[in-house]
């Protein structure tokens, strides 16, 4: 029982490392989600810009 302090310190360090890793992964996922939403909005705006304004009329060249 004399090494109980070392055991507690080791478990505390391991817990802190795991907690920091989970925090890092969580923040990285949030950043990736934001980037994905930004890219999806950009693609949607590019798709709308590439569609002609009179696309509801039938094409005569077919």
């Amino acid at each position: 029982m004399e090494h109980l302090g070392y055991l507690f310190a080791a478990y505390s360090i391991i817990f802190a490392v795991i907690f920091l890793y989970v925090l890092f992964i969580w923040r990285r996922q949030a950043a990736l989600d934001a980037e994905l939403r930004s890219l999806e909005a950009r693609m949607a705006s590019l798709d709308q810009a590439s569609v002609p304004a009179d696309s509801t009329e039938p094409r005569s060249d077919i």
Side-chain angles (χ1 to χ4, degrees), residues 51-62:
V51 175
D54 58 348
S55 62
T56 58
E57 298 177 11
R59 292 178 55 183
S60 61
D61 61 342
I62 297 179

Side-chain angles (χ1 to χ4, degrees), residues 11-33:
Y11 274 105
S12 297
I13 291 170
I14 290 171
F15 178 76
V17 168
I18 291 172
F19 177 76
L20 291 173
Y21 179 69
V22 168
L23 183 64
F24 170 77
I25 295 297
W26 176 64
R27 293 194 43 132
R28 172 101 173 139
Q29 182 65 34
L32 287 174
D33 285 340

